[in-house]
Amino acid sequence: MAKLETRGLHFSYTAEKKVLNGIDLILEGPPTAIVGQNGAGKTTFVKVLKGLLRPSKGSVYFNGEDIKDQTVAQLSRHIGLIFQNPNDQIFKNRVLDEVMFGPSNIGASRDDARDQAMAALERLGLEDEADANPYDLSLSERKLIAVASILAMDPDVLIFDEPTMGQDFEGKDLLKQIIREEHARGKLILCILHDMDFAADVFDRTIVFNQGNVLLDGPTREVFSQKDILESAFLEQPSPTQIARVLGLDGCYLTDAELIAALKN
Ligand SMILES: Nc1ncnc2c1ncn2[C@@H]1O[C@H](COP(=O)(O)OP(=O)(O)O)[C@@H](O)[C@H]1O
Ligand SMILES: [Mg+2]
């Protein structure tokens, strides 16, 4: 499985403000959520992982090799990033062309690119929209098209930036399924989230960013047990845990099912 590692990673957009303040992380194995207040540096961090921004100090290693010697084009074959705002990613005026662009760009034949694009659209339930203009679709559908575009390239690492934003229950369920399937296929999954319930439900490891630093990192249950530290970073515990507390139950509950099981006992 793919492995990303950062050592002493610093990044600033301007001289006045440090955005990443020395991040040391090894990312491999279980699906991992990255959470943190707006402005904590999450999006910047994943852009540095993908080589779109270059660190001001420190390094990123992909499968043990410093990515500084690789171009964004070389990395894009291995590391797929689904942007927070699909409008920053989508640029074609036909869904199929948009989703075919990635595989074509990394050397797939036209037929293969088409097959990979259609397969990705089918996984997201969007095969009937292949001829549509992305801008005639809703924002939540455009977000799923952005996911399809990256899936069609079959990268080793899939990074999602706030994929659940604007998704209803069905959309979230679909994303959960895709994340689990891609993990089972051996992909490294990183996912920036503002939705603590989705993080608690789907991810085995959770990393909390705060002001360009890693505040917490560990198994999701351990991280979400740290109520006071989370609050210091303006984050809440997952809602099953909050409901449990109101009902007089101690402990950290990651899903409704866990809470219901505890209530039955
Ligand atoms: N292109 C940019 N130019 C200057 N500052 C930026 C730019 N993008 C982000 N920032 C600043 O960097 C900080 C971290 O932003 P970001 O990585 O987007 O955080 P997050 O994704 O956690 O909300 C914020 O203070 C933000 O205002
Ligand atoms: Mg962001």
Side-chain angles (χ1 to χ4, degrees), residues 82-187:
I82 295 127
F83 280 65
Q84 180 166 352
N85 183 347
N87 302 340
D88 293 339
Q89 188 176 329
I90 291 172
F91 67 105
K92 299 275 188 189
N93 53 25
R94 180 172 169 244
V95 166
L96 185 60
D97 294 337
E98 178 65 37
V99 183
M100 280 176 66
F101 177 80
S104 300
N105 200 37
I106 57 171
S109 70
R110 203 174 157 73
D111 282 350
D112 286 350
R114 197 193 149 83
D115 290 349
Q116 285 161 239
M118 281 311 296
L121 286 171
E122 271 165 33
R123 288 178 72 187
L124 290 152
L126 289 167
E127 67 275 18
D128 293 340
E129 309 296 347
D131 289 317
N133 184 323
Y135 287 92
D136 290 334
L137 304 177
S138 66
L139 180 65
S140 58
E141 285 170 319
R142 281 207 295 285
K143 286 199 81 142
L144 297 180
I145 285 164
V147 173
S149 302
I150 301 299
L151 285 180
M153 296 174 74
D154 201 27
D156 309 313
V157 183
L158 284 162
I159 306 174
F160 299 81
D161 195 347
E162 309 256 13
T164 59
M165 203 179 260
Q167 296 294 341
D168 58 12
F169 178 80
E170 231 172 84
K172 285 187 194 178
D173 222 45
L174 194 55
L175 287 164
K176 175 172 161 179
Q177 195 182 319
I178 298 275
I179 288 164
R180 293 208 164 139
E181 286 169 2
E182 291 300 303
H183 171 63
R185 294 181 63 227
K187 309 294 179 172

Side-chain angles (χ1 to χ4, degrees), residues 38 42-44 84 161-162 192:
N38 269 341
K42 306 176 299 294
T43 295
T44 302
Q84 180 166 352
D161 195 347
E162 309 256 13
I192 296 174

